[in-house]
Amino acid sequence: MAKTPEQWLEEAAPHKKNGGIFKLFLGYAPGVGKTYNMLSEAIRRKNRGEDVVIGVVETHGRKGTAEQAAQLEKVPRKKIEYKGTLFEEMDVDAILARKPAVVLVDELAHTNIEGSKHGKRYEDVLELVDAGIDVVSTMNIQHLESVAPSVQSISGITVRETVPDWVMKRVTEVVMADVTPEALQTRMRRGDIYPLDRVDKALSNFFRPKNLIALRELALREVAQEVDRSLETYLEKEEPERNLGVRERFAVCISSNPSAQHIIARSARMAKRLDAELYVVYVDIAVDDTEANQRSLQANIRFAKDVGAQVVSLKATTVAEAVAQFVRDKHITQVVFGRSAVKGWKRYLYLNAIHKFLRDAPPVDVHIVTQ
């Protein structure tokens, strides 16, 4: 049975004794050097006498990466047959039996083939960390759950494989694998990232300058936030009497509309920058009784939990009154509403609800996010 985010975090709280170190090389696009840097560090650690093995590394046909990987011991992958085809996945049990000091696990967002021990590779990693093994892994910023909608807006590309934001709370150290967009494009033109016959298509799609600049900014922000979080954790431990100020609390109002995930993702990013608590609030006013609406609502709730929000369901006759009371009870400092209905009587009802909320709620900052 799959563990919930709360169970994974509870097992590690706050720093589980005898648990391993979880280090993540974060990038903003293929080819920035995440896997290369991970392997370089592993070789240095091996040369210092540490017991380092490869759990899974994807070379993607890159000569330099393959040459580095050849210098390290590999734990054989597990072969799994699925629908008549043989696949290879990282063998978690074999790594646990081998008991290395450090294991390299590439592509954290990978989805394992059906029949694997866990559904996602990040679950494999957490089991290894909990067993006391240090894990060094890699991921691009677009695979972080709360960032994926922004990436789709920026690039038009839908990110299929994601890692929940709560997993980042288990990461001990984040290192940015970084090159400038111009240097990355140069690598692309040389054929260092993809075969030469794929270069022109890549440069005119995902690897356009505006996409790379925006993705790099998102990755740099994430690393900066992780540094801030590490500092706050250190100060809380070393200087508990230090006044860190009143913590911000965000409340995001959602419906069963699938576009609510965009609002949740935007709010999660805002809350993360302020190290704020995040609540996602659904008010049941008896309008989502259909099976389709319930499916969509549950998908929104799962997404909210994946980005680290506390989900609250309220039953009331009006959204404005229920949210105003929730804001009062939980001492919420910032409220986020989505703006989707912009025409006719629906717009009137929407604006009327906002006005009622402002009338009934205590002083609070209000954000209107376009869906």
Side-chain angles (χ1 to χ4, degrees):
M1 183 177 176
K3 295 181 184 179
T4 65
E6 291 79 9
Q7 288 171 325
W8 279 118
L9 289 170
E10 183 180 353
E11 289 187 5
H15 292 290
K16 189 177 181 182
K17 287 184 179 181
N18 303 320
I21 293 171
F22 182 6
K23 184 171 184 175
L24 180 67
F25 282 93
L26 185 70
Y28 68 91
V32 295
K34 302 178 300 299
T35 304
Y36 191 91
N37 288 342
M38 177 179 70
L39 287 165
S40 296
E41 175 176 319
I43 291 168
R44 289 194 300 272
R45 295 174 74 164
K46 177 192 172 186
N47 291 337
R48 292 198 300 264
E50 291 188 58
D51 181 17
V52 184
V53 301
I54 290 176
V56 59
V57 163
E58 305 294 351
T59 66
H60 298 291
R62 296 166 192 165
K63 184 179 177 182
T65 304
E67 289 174 348
Q68 284 187 312
Q71 300 178 50
L72 297 165
E73 177 189 341
K74 299 177 181 65
V75 175
R77 299 193 200 184
K78 187 175 184 178
K79 293 178 172 58
I80 300 173
E81 187 176 341
Y82 179 67
K83 292 185 177 179
T85 303
L86 202 61
F87 294 87
E88 291 188 346
E89 295 285 7
M90 183 174 73
D91 194 333
V92 180
D93 290 332
I95 296 170
L96 291 170
R98 168 65 174 73
K99 294 181 182 178
V102 185
V103 60
L104 309 187
V105 183
D106 212 359
E107 298 185 358
L108 186 65
H110 173 76
T111 300
N112 294 329
I113 200 68
E114 191 173 316
S116 300
K117 187 173 187 180
H118 299 294
K120 297 288 291 188
R121 186 168 286 167
Y122 68 78
E123 295 175 304
D124 296 335
V125 165
L126 294 180
E127 181 173 354
L128 295 171
V129 171
D130 287 345
I133 299 172
D134 290 354
V135 175
V136 186
S137 190
T138 67
M139 183 179 76
N140 278 328
I141 188 62
Q142 60 264 34
H143 294 290
L144 190 61
E145 188 96 63
S146 66
V147 175
S150 296
V151 173
Q152 184 173 1
S153 177
I154 291 165
S155 66
I157 295 172
T158 300
V159 181
R160 302 294 182 188
E161 294 183 308
T162 57
V163 172
D165 286 48
W166 62 263
V167 173
M168 295 300 290
K169 295 180 181 179
R170 294 290 307 271
V171 176
T172 313
E173 182 182 357
V174 179
V175 179
M176 177 82 171
D178 188 36
V179 295
T180 65
E182 293 80 8
L184 185 60
Q185 288 182 314
T186 299
R187 289 183 181 179
M188 175 68 73
R189 293 188 184 96
R190 288 201 305 256
D192 293 344
I193 302 173
Y194 295 147
L196 289 173
D197 59 353
R198 295 171 56 190
V199 167
D200 289 341
K201 184 177 180 180
L203 288 173
S204 60
N205 288 285
F206 186 84
F207 284 80
R208 285 178 292 176
K210 76 175 185 67
N211 289 353
L212 298 179
I213 291 168
L215 290 167
R216 189 185 188 209
E217 181 181 353
L218 288 170
L220 288 167
R221 283 182 181 177
E222 180 64 30
V223 173
Q225 287 159 15
E226 292 302 320
V227 170
D228 287 344
R229 183 172 62 83
S230 297
L231 175 61
E232 290 298 316
T233 301
Y234 172 81
L235 290 174
E236 286 174 5
K237 180 181 177 182
E238 299 297 325
E239 303 178 38
E241 73 286 350
R242 182 174 176 265
N243 181 14
L244 297 176
V246 177
R247 195 176 188 191
E248 296 278 352
R249 295 182 179 90
F250 275 72
V252 188
C253 304
I254 69 164
S255 66
S256 62
N257 191 323
S259 61
Q261 293 186 23
H262 173 72
I263 302 170
I264 295 167
R266 285 280 302 276
S267 302
R269 301 304 295 169
M270 289 191 292
K272 197 168 187 179
R273 289 182 196 123
L274 296 174
D275 190 29
E277 293 180 44
L278 177 62
Y279 294 89
V280 168
V281 182
Y282 169 72
V283 181
D284 183 0
I285 55 174
V287 295
D288 287 322
D289 293 336
T290 68
E291 185 179 342
N293 282 352
Q294 283 299 310
R295 282 199 305 269
S296 179
L297 175 62
Q298 291 308 311
N300 292 344
I301 289 172
R302 284 194 300 272
F303 183 83
K305 289 180 178 179
D306 280 347
V307 300
Q310 300 179 57
V311 179
V312 177
S313 182
L314 306 172
K315 200 170 182 67
T317 54
T318 68
V319 173
E321 183 180 341
V323 175
Q325 186 60 48
F326 179 79
V327 166
R328 189 175 293 106
D329 292 343
K330 289 292 186 180
H331 306 291
I332 300 298
T333 61
Q334 308 207 36
V335 178
V336 183
F337 292 102
R339 181 182 178 184
S340 57
V342 294
K343 293 182 181 179
W345 63 272
K346 287 187 176 181
R347 185 186 184 198
Y348 169 78
L349 292 176
Y350 169 80
L351 294 174
N352 189 45
I354 296 293
H355 289 153
K356 285 182 178 178
F357 168 78
L358 293 172
R359 181 195 65 198
D360 297 339
V364 64
D365 292 343
V366 176
H367 304 265
I368 308 295
V369 176
T370 302
Q371 296 171 234

